[in-house]
Amino acid sequence: MQIPAPFDYARATGVDDAIALLDRHGPESRIIAGGHSLLPMMKLRLARPEWLIDINDLYELDFLLVDKDKLRIGALTRHTALLESDDIARLFPIITDAEHVIADPVVRNRGTIGGSLCQADPAEDLSTVCDVLGAVAVVRGPNGDRMLTMSEFHRGPYETALAQNEILCELQFAIRPRTSSAYEKVERRVGDWAVAAAGASVTLAADGTIEEAAVGLTAIGLDGTVPDIDSTTRGQKPSEELFAEAGRLASLACDPVADQRGPIDYKRHLADELTRRVLRRASERAAQTQEG
Amino acid sequence: MQVSMTMNGEEITREIEPRVLLVHFIRENLGLTGTHWGCDTSNCGTCVVLMDGQPVKSCTVLAAMADGHDVRTVEGLATAGVLDPIQQGFMEEHGLQCGFCTPGMMLTARALLDANPHPNDTEIREAISGQICRCTGYATIVRSVLWAAEHPAELVTIDEEVGA
């Protein structure tokens, strides 16, 4: 039987209350949202917080709204809500694609976008999605809000820039015209961690050439986005040759490890193939937004 | 700490340690052993219960987090001696053999039909994709849920069934 080590539990009544509780209980206190990453680690005693601050009552962090030229997603928004959002499917289909393959439908009822990002598991899909989309994280602490880019937010596996008494409040995604995106994952079975996954965002110029593109990889040893994708694709018409070159760059940029999910060569092959697929799909979708 | 919640329509309050998981709270503190405890890693789905109407894996929810919420277990499916159509469907279409996954399967199916009264085969398979059955190959589970969707008013009393 897996039972967490003993801890004390408090339910926050608001964001500032959560911050005050983190401040009061110190470095061994942790925020819990959906709990579907933290509780398994606590059950294995890989995490042993002395205090859990439950933020599930903070409905002010559970929102999803289009605010002028950006989409704002509250940190407590559940995966199911992201998957079912028409705004997201229209504006950022990479999120919808990823949510289809994150865990399983029952887990998605509890897990949150903020929890996924704060867990910062290298095999976690939404971190890649946020890298590719250039998301901005809004973080609140005792001294107010600060805005972090994803490269500032992510410090490495299981590590973020959040101070002990800070809480991730929301993620912001810039809405741009003639832009779309896609995500694809290879997994052994539903709910398993990715063998490999890739996400892409493409912005087309008025003449149909690529104005900007980004590709990110999940679970195969790459922080941030694949270097040189943007410079290689900029000004080019989307084509199979171009996608193949991007795939080659991705397979070189990643640094996978051999494990029970496959050998290194196979994972590099997936980086290549999945990069081609997501760039192809994102380009097609971006072209459709142009027609619409 | 003290937790209070609505369990199958009844208000309950218990004194527990904060680290008690909802599945153990239900089975051991409340004695409702219809909820099964399986993989303990939120993979198998036999521990699924409904929290505020939504299926959740109770091995990965603290009982403390369910405080103030509405929880429904397999014991809450039949009401006043009348089987839920989902339960009847599992009987009609042989939706179980060993029965270990059944409580979780039935609760996920109940939530699916509440949200989508006429799901197709694909939607049912998607809904139960986080739950593992090692007996049926899923085909009869899917047929059981389809049966329930086709018989929303088909109600049979437990006593009649047992007697038959």
Side-chain angles (χ1 to χ4, degrees), chain A residues 201-233:
Chain A
S201 176
V202 171
T203 300
L204 296 176
D207 64 359
T209 60
I210 292 176
E211 188 174 293
E212 200 173 330
V215 170
L217 303 171
T218 306
I220 41 178
L222 177 77
D223 294 332
T225 53
V226 178
D228 300 328
I229 291 285
D230 192 46
S231 55
T232 303
T233 56

PDB file of all heavy atoms in Angstrom, chain A residues 201-233:
ATOM      1  N   SER A 201       4.466  25.472 -34.066  1.00  0.00           N
ATOM      2  CA  SER A 201       3.622  26.631 -34.353  1.00  0.00           C
ATOM      3  C   SER A 201       4.169  27.287 -35.618  1.00  0.00           C
ATOM      4  O   SER A 201       5.383  27.387 -35.795  1.00  0.00           O
ATOM      5  CB  SER A 201       3.671  27.624 -33.177  1.00  0.00           C
ATOM      6  OG  SER A 201       2.938  28.779 -33.509  1.00  0.00           O
ATOM      7  N   VAL A 202       3.260  27.674 -36.508  1.00  0.00           N
ATOM      8  CA  VAL A 202       3.663  28.282 -37.780  1.00  0.00           C
ATOM      9  C   VAL A 202       2.841  29.546 -38.030  1.00  0.00           C
ATOM     10  O   VAL A 202       1.619  29.520 -37.905  1.00  0.00           O
ATOM     11  CB  VAL A 202       3.462  27.297 -38.963  1.00  0.00           C
ATOM     12  CG1 VAL A 202       3.667  27.995 -40.302  1.00  0.00           C
ATOM     13  CG2 VAL A 202       4.377  26.094 -38.831  1.00  0.00           C
ATOM     14  N   THR A 203       3.528  30.630 -38.362  1.00  0.00           N
ATOM     15  CA  THR A 203       2.869  31.853 -38.809  1.00  0.00           C
ATOM     16  C   THR A 203       3.220  32.065 -40.279  1.00  0.00           C
ATOM     17  O   THR A 203       4.403  32.026 -40.644  1.00  0.00           O
ATOM     18  CB  THR A 203       3.358  33.071 -37.998  1.00  0.00           C
ATOM     19  OG1 THR A 203       3.059  32.846 -36.620  1.00  0.00           O
ATOM     20  CG2 THR A 203       2.671  34.356 -38.466  1.00  0.00           C
ATOM     21  N   LEU A 204       2.197  32.239 -41.092  1.00  0.00           N
ATOM     22  CA  LEU A 204       2.423  32.452 -42.522  1.00  0.00           C
ATOM     23  C   LEU A 204       2.371  33.944 -42.853  1.00  0.00           C
ATOM     24  O   LEU A 204       1.596  34.692 -42.254  1.00  0.00           O
ATOM     25  CB  LEU A 204       1.365  31.719 -43.345  1.00  0.00           C
ATOM     26  CG  LEU A 204       1.354  30.191 -43.240  1.00  0.00           C
ATOM     27  CD1 LEU A 204       0.179  29.628 -44.034  1.00  0.00           C
ATOM     28  CD2 LEU A 204       2.670  29.596 -43.721  1.00  0.00           C
ATOM     29  N   ALA A 205       3.190  34.357 -43.799  1.00  0.00           N
ATOM     30  CA  ALA A 205       3.093  35.718 -44.332  1.00  0.00           C
ATOM     31  C   ALA A 205       1.931  35.767 -45.326  1.00  0.00           C
ATOM     32  O   ALA A 205       1.379  34.725 -45.689  1.00  0.00           O
ATOM     33  CB  ALA A 205       4.399  36.092 -45.027  1.00  0.00           C
ATOM     34  N   ALA A 206       1.565  36.973 -45.752  1.00  0.00           N
ATOM     35  CA  ALA A 206       0.427  37.117 -46.655  1.00  0.00           C
ATOM     36  C   ALA A 206       0.642  36.343 -47.959  1.00  0.00           C
ATOM     37  O   ALA A 206      -0.313  35.873 -48.581  1.00  0.00           O
ATOM     38  CB  ALA A 206       0.184  38.600 -46.945  1.00  0.00           C
ATOM     39  N   ASP A 207       1.894  36.187 -48.385  1.00  0.00           N
ATOM     40  CA  ASP A 207       2.163  35.469 -49.630  1.00  0.00           C
ATOM     41  C   ASP A 207       2.250  33.952 -49.447  1.00  0.00           C
ATOM     42  O   ASP A 207       2.614  33.227 -50.375  1.00  0.00           O
ATOM     43  CB  ASP A 207       3.462  35.992 -50.268  1.00  0.00           C
ATOM     44  CG  ASP A 207       4.686  35.712 -49.402  1.00  0.00           C
ATOM     45  OD1 ASP A 207       4.525  35.128 -48.302  1.00  0.00           O
ATOM     46  OD2 ASP A 207       5.799  36.077 -49.828  1.00  0.00           O
ATOM     47  N   GLY A 208       1.966  33.465 -48.238  1.00  0.00           N
ATOM     48  CA  GLY A 208       1.942  32.028 -48.025  1.00  0.00           C
ATOM     49  C   GLY A 208       3.288  31.443 -47.610  1.00  0.00           C
ATOM     50  O   GLY A 208       3.391  30.248 -47.350  1.00  0.00           O
ATOM     51  N   THR A 209       4.342  32.266 -47.559  1.00  0.00           N
ATOM     52  CA  THR A 209       5.618  31.760 -47.057  1.00  0.00           C
ATOM     53  C   THR A 209       5.603  31.791 -45.528  1.00  0.00           C
ATOM     54  O   THR A 209       4.758  32.447 -44.915  1.00  0.00           O
ATOM     55  CB  THR A 209       6.807  32.612 -47.557  1.00  0.00           C
ATOM     56  OG1 THR A 209       6.616  33.955 -47.100  1.00  0.00           O
ATOM     57  CG2 THR A 209       6.883  32.577 -49.079  1.00  0.00           C
ATOM     58  N   ILE A 210       6.543  31.080 -44.954  1.00  0.00           N
ATOM     59  CA  ILE A 210       6.589  31.008 -43.487  1.00  0.00           C
ATOM     60  C   ILE A 210       7.250  32.264 -42.931  1.00  0.00           C
ATOM     61  O   ILE A 210       8.353  32.644 -43.343  1.00  0.00           O
ATOM     62  CB  ILE A 210       7.357  29.746 -43.045  1.00  0.00           C
ATOM     63  CG1 ILE A 210       6.544  28.500 -43.422  1.00  0.00           C
ATOM     64  CG2 ILE A 210       7.612  29.767 -41.524  1.00  0.00           C
ATOM     65  CD1 ILE A 210       7.227  27.185 -43.125  1.00  0.00           C
ATOM     66  N   GLU A 211       6.539  32.919 -42.033  1.00  0.00           N
ATOM     67  CA  GLU A 211       7.062  34.133 -41.419  1.00  0.00           C
ATOM     68  C   GLU A 211       7.789  33.796 -40.132  1.00  0.00           C
ATOM     69  O   GLU A 211       8.781  34.414 -39.761  1.00  0.00           O
ATOM     70  CB  GLU A 211       5.891  35.089 -41.146  1.00  0.00           C
ATOM     71  CG  GLU A 211       6.279  36.472 -40.695  1.00  0.00           C
ATOM     72  CD  GLU A 211       5.029  37.363 -40.591  1.00  0.00           C
ATOM     73  OE1 GLU A 211       4.433  37.653 -41.646  1.00  0.00           O
ATOM     74  OE2 GLU A 211       4.659  37.704 -39.459  1.00  0.00           O
ATOM     75  N   GLU A 212       7.231  32.798 -39.422  1.00  0.00           N
ATOM     76  CA  GLU A 212       7.856  32.403 -38.165  1.00  0.00           C
ATOM     77  C   GLU A 212       7.439  30.972 -37.856  1.00  0.00           C
ATOM     78  O   GLU A 212       6.293  30.592 -38.113  1.00  0.00           O
ATOM     79  CB  GLU A 212       7.399  33.336 -37.035  1.00  0.00           C
ATOM     80  CG  GLU A 212       8.318  33.316 -35.840  1.00  0.00           C
ATOM     81  CD  GLU A 212       7.934  34.380 -34.800  1.00  0.00           C
ATOM     82  OE1 GLU A 212       7.387  35.443 -35.190  1.00  0.00           O
ATOM     83  OE2 GLU A 212       8.167  34.117 -33.618  1.00  0.00           O
ATOM     84  N   ALA A 213       8.355  30.199 -37.324  1.00  0.00           N
ATOM     85  CA  ALA A 213       8.027  28.818 -36.966  1.00  0.00           C
ATOM     86  C   ALA A 213       8.836  28.404 -35.751  1.00  0.00           C
ATOM     87  O   ALA A 213       9.946  28.880 -35.531  1.00  0.00           O
ATOM     88  CB  ALA A 213       8.313  27.868 -38.132  1.00  0.00           C
ATOM     89  N   ALA A 214       8.238  27.525 -34.952  1.00  0.00           N
ATOM     90  CA  ALA A 214       8.936  26.982 -33.777  1.00  0.00           C
ATOM     91  C   ALA A 214       8.536  25.526 -33.616  1.00  0.00           C
ATOM     92  O   ALA A 214       7.407  25.142 -33.910  1.00  0.00           O
ATOM     93  CB  ALA A 214       8.567  27.772 -32.524  1.00  0.00           C
ATOM     94  N   VAL A 215       9.501  24.719 -33.184  1.00  0.00           N
ATOM     95  CA  VAL A 215       9.251  23.301 -32.910  1.00  0.00           C
ATOM     96  C   VAL A 215       9.817  22.972 -31.536  1.00  0.00           C
ATOM     97  O   VAL A 215      10.931  23.396 -31.200  1.00  0.00           O
ATOM     98  CB  VAL A 215       9.926  22.406 -33.981  1.00  0.00           C
ATOM     99  CG1 VAL A 215       9.872  20.934 -33.563  1.00  0.00           C
ATOM    100  CG2 VAL A 215       9.265  22.591 -35.340  1.00  0.00           C
ATOM    101  N   GLY A 216       9.046  22.240 -30.748  1.00  0.00           N
ATOM    102  CA  GLY A 216       9.528  21.759 -29.449  1.00  0.00           C
ATOM    103  C   GLY A 216       9.392  20.245 -29.392  1.00  0.00           C
ATOM    104  O   GLY A 216       8.586  19.651 -30.116  1.00  0.00           O
ATOM    105  N   LEU A 217      10.212  19.615 -28.549  1.00  0.00           N
ATOM    106  CA  LEU A 217      10.209  18.157 -28.415  1.00  0.00           C
ATOM    107  C   LEU A 217      10.000  17.773 -26.958  1.00  0.00           C
ATOM    108  O   LEU A 217      10.456  18.476 -26.060  1.00  0.00           O
ATOM    109  CB  LEU A 217      11.553  17.588 -28.900  1.00  0.00           C
ATOM    110  CG  LEU A 217      11.962  17.938 -30.342  1.00  0.00           C
ATOM    111  CD1 LEU A 217      13.398  17.504 -30.597  1.00  0.00           C
ATOM    112  CD2 LEU A 217      11.012  17.289 -31.340  1.00  0.00           C
ATOM    113  N   THR A 218       9.295  16.679 -26.749  1.00  0.00           N
ATOM    114  CA  THR A 218       9.005  16.218 -25.393  1.00  0.00           C
ATOM    115  C   THR A 218       9.674  14.870 -25.134  1.00  0.00           C
ATOM    116  O   THR A 218       9.631  13.990 -26.003  1.00  0.00           O
ATOM    117  CB  THR A 218       7.478  16.036 -25.216  1.00  0.00           C
ATOM    118  OG1 THR A 218       6.829  17.252 -25.591  1.00  0.00           O
ATOM    119  CG2 THR A 218       7.114  15.698 -23.777  1.00  0.00           C
ATOM    120  N   ALA A 219      10.270  14.722 -23.982  1.00  0.00           N
ATOM    121  CA  ALA A 219      10.776  13.442 -23.456  1.00  0.00           C
ATOM    122  C   ALA A 219      12.038  12.942 -24.134  1.00  0.00           C
ATOM    123  O   ALA A 219      12.449  11.808 -23.901  1.00  0.00           O
ATOM    124  CB  ALA A 219       9.698  12.347 -23.513  1.00  0.00           C
ATOM    125  N   ILE A 220      12.642  13.747 -25.005  1.00  0.00           N
ATOM    126  CA  ILE A 220      13.843  13.252 -25.673  1.00  0.00           C
ATOM    127  C   ILE A 220      15.002  14.234 -25.515  1.00  0.00           C
ATOM    128  O   ILE A 220      15.872  14.354 -26.386  1.00  0.00           O
ATOM    129  CB  ILE A 220      13.592  12.911 -27.166  1.00  0.00           C
ATOM    130  CG1 ILE A 220      12.702  13.956 -27.850  1.00  0.00           C
ATOM    131  CG2 ILE A 220      12.963  11.534 -27.293  1.00  0.00           C
ATOM    132  CD1 ILE A 220      12.470  13.679 -29.321  1.00  0.00           C
ATOM    133  N   GLY A 221      15.028  14.926 -24.378  1.00  0.00           N
ATOM    134  CA  GLY A 221      16.245  15.646 -24.018  1.00  0.00           C
ATOM    135  C   GLY A 221      16.484  16.927 -24.786  1.00  0.00           C
ATOM    136  O   GLY A 221      17.576  17.135 -25.327  1.00  0.00           O
ATOM    137  N   LEU A 222      15.483  17.780 -24.838  1.00  0.00           N
ATOM    138  CA  LEU A 222      15.715  19.109 -25.427  1.00  0.00           C
ATOM    139  C   LEU A 222      14.958  20.138 -24.590  1.00  0.00           C
ATOM    140  O   LEU A 222      13.742  20.038 -24.440  1.00  0.00           O
ATOM    141  CB  LEU A 222      15.226  19.177 -26.873  1.00  0.00           C
ATOM    142  CG  LEU A 222      15.390  20.567 -27.508  1.00  0.00           C
ATOM    143  CD1 LEU A 222      16.831  20.823 -27.907  1.00  0.00           C
ATOM    144  CD2 LEU A 222      14.465  20.740 -28.710  1.00  0.00           C
ATOM    145  N   ASP A 223      15.670  21.105 -24.044  1.00  0.00           N
ATOM    146  CA  ASP A 223      15.027  22.216 -23.340  1.00  0.00           C
ATOM    147  C   ASP A 223      14.684  23.297 -24.347  1.00  0.00           C
ATOM    148  O   ASP A 223      15.483  23.589 -25.244  1.00  0.00           O
ATOM    149  CB  ASP A 223      15.965  22.799 -22.276  1.00  0.00           C
ATOM    150  CG  ASP A 223      16.239  21.807 -21.162  1.00  0.00           C
ATOM    151  OD1 ASP A 223      15.368  20.962 -20.921  1.00  0.00           O
ATOM    152  OD2 ASP A 223      17.322  21.866 -20.555  1.00  0.00           O
ATOM    153  N   GLY A 224      13.532  23.909 -24.209  1.00  0.00           N
ATOM    154  CA  GLY A 224      13.153  24.984 -25.118  1.00  0.00           C
ATOM    155  C   GLY A 224      12.839  24.444 -26.503  1.00  0.00           C
ATOM    156  O   GLY A 224      12.469  23.280 -26.663  1.00  0.00           O
ATOM    157  N   THR A 225      13.010  25.295 -27.501  1.00  0.00           N
ATOM    158  CA  THR A 225      12.648  24.896 -28.863  1.00  0.00           C
ATOM    159  C   THR A 225      13.891  24.477 -29.650  1.00  0.00           C
ATOM    160  O   THR A 225      15.018  24.768 -29.247  1.00  0.00           O
ATOM    161  CB  THR A 225      11.937  26.056 -29.593  1.00  0.00           C
ATOM    162  OG1 THR A 225      12.759  27.226 -29.491  1.00  0.00           O
ATOM    163  CG2 THR A 225      10.581  26.347 -28.963  1.00  0.00           C
ATOM    164  N   VAL A 226      13.649  23.808 -30.794  1.00  0.00           N
ATOM    165  CA  VAL A 226      14.755  23.327 -31.629  1.00  0.00           C
ATOM    166  C   VAL A 226      15.455  24.537 -32.267  1.00  0.00           C
ATOM    167  O   VAL A 226      14.803  25.347 -32.927  1.00  0.00           O
ATOM    168  CB  VAL A 226      14.236  22.382 -32.732  1.00  0.00           C
ATOM    169  CG1 VAL A 226      15.375  21.928 -33.635  1.00  0.00           C
ATOM    170  CG2 VAL A 226      13.504  21.198 -32.116  1.00  0.00           C
ATOM    171  N   PRO A 227      16.769  24.662 -32.084  1.00  0.00           N
ATOM    172  CA  PRO A 227      17.475  25.812 -32.669  1.00  0.00           C
ATOM    173  C   PRO A 227      17.406  25.775 -34.196  1.00  0.00           C
ATOM    174  O   PRO A 227      17.335  24.700 -34.795  1.00  0.00           O
ATOM    175  CB  PRO A 227      18.928  25.638 -32.195  1.00  0.00           C
ATOM    176  CG  PRO A 227      18.897  24.614 -31.119  1.00  0.00           C
ATOM    177  CD  PRO A 227      17.681  23.772 -31.338  1.00  0.00           C
ATOM    178  N   ASP A 228      17.448  26.930 -34.798  1.00  0.00           N
ATOM    179  CA  ASP A 228      17.578  27.093 -36.260  1.00  0.00           C
ATOM    180  C   ASP A 228      16.330  26.731 -37.062  1.00  0.00           C
ATOM    181  O   ASP A 228      16.347  26.840 -38.285  1.00  0.00           O
ATOM    182  CB  ASP A 228      18.771  26.286 -36.820  1.00  0.00           C
ATOM    183  CG  ASP A 228      20.089  26.725 -36.189  1.00  0.00           C
ATOM    184  OD1 ASP A 228      20.190  27.938 -35.857  1.00  0.00           O
ATOM    185  OD2 ASP A 228      20.969  25.878 -35.996  1.00  0.00           O
ATOM    186  N   ILE A 229      15.258  26.305 -36.420  1.00  0.00           N
ATOM    187  CA  ILE A 229      14.040  26.027 -37.185  1.00  0.00           C
ATOM    188  C   ILE A 229      13.522  27.321 -37.808  1.00  0.00           C
ATOM    189  O   ILE A 229      13.175  27.367 -38.999  1.00  0.00           O
ATOM    190  CB  ILE A 229      12.945  25.412 -36.274  1.00  0.00           C
ATOM    191  CG1 ILE A 229      13.328  24.011 -35.827  1.00  0.00           C
ATOM    192  CG2 ILE A 229      11.585  25.428 -36.976  1.00  0.00           C
ATOM    193  CD1 ILE A 229      13.191  22.938 -36.871  1.00  0.00           C
ATOM    194  N   ASP A 230      13.515  28.383 -37.008  1.00  0.00           N
ATOM    195  CA  ASP A 230      12.956  29.642 -37.500  1.00  0.00           C
ATOM    196  C   ASP A 230      13.782  30.185 -38.666  1.00  0.00           C
ATOM    197  O   ASP A 230      13.238  30.539 -39.715  1.00  0.00           O
ATOM    198  CB  ASP A 230      12.891  30.656 -36.354  1.00  0.00           C
ATOM    199  CG  ASP A 230      12.074  31.861 -36.732  1.00  0.00           C
ATOM    200  OD1 ASP A 230      10.967  31.678 -37.290  1.00  0.00           O
ATOM    201  OD2 ASP A 230      12.529  32.995 -36.493  1.00  0.00           O
ATOM    202  N   SER A 231      15.110  30.214 -38.510  1.00  0.00           N
ATOM    203  CA  SER A 231      15.942  30.789 -39.573  1.00  0.00           C
ATOM    204  C   SER A 231      15.907  29.919 -40.840  1.00  0.00           C
ATOM    205  O   SER A 231      16.004  30.428 -41.954  1.00  0.00           O
ATOM    206  CB  SER A 231      17.389  30.949 -39.085  1.00  0.00           C
ATOM    207  OG  SER A 231      17.880  29.716 -38.615  1.00  0.00           O
ATOM    208  N   THR A 232      15.756  28.612 -40.669  1.00  0.00           N
ATOM    209  CA  THR A 232      15.726  27.708 -41.819  1.00  0.00           C
ATOM    210  C   THR A 232      14.425  27.833 -42.611  1.00  0.00           C
ATOM    211  O   THR A 232      14.416  27.708 -43.834  1.00  0.00           O
ATOM    212  CB  THR A 232      15.898  26.247 -41.346  1.00  0.00           C
ATOM    213  OG1 THR A 232      17.123  26.164 -40.625  1.00  0.00           O
ATOM    214  CG2 THR A 232      15.922  25.269 -42.499  1.00  0.00           C
ATOM    215  N   THR A 233      13.332  28.059 -41.906  1.00  0.00           N
ATOM    216  CA  THR A 233      12.036  28.040 -42.578  1.00  0.00           C
ATOM    217  C   THR A 233      11.567  29.431 -43.013  1.00  0.00           C
ATOM    218  O   THR A 233      10.715  29.541 -43.885  1.00  0.00           O
ATOM    219  CB  THR A 233      10.954  27.444 -41.647  1.00  0.00           C
ATOM    220  OG1 THR A 233      10.929  28.195 -40.440  1.00  0.00           O
ATOM    221  CG2 THR A 233      11.233  25.991 -41.343  1.00  0.00           C
TER     222      THR A 233
END
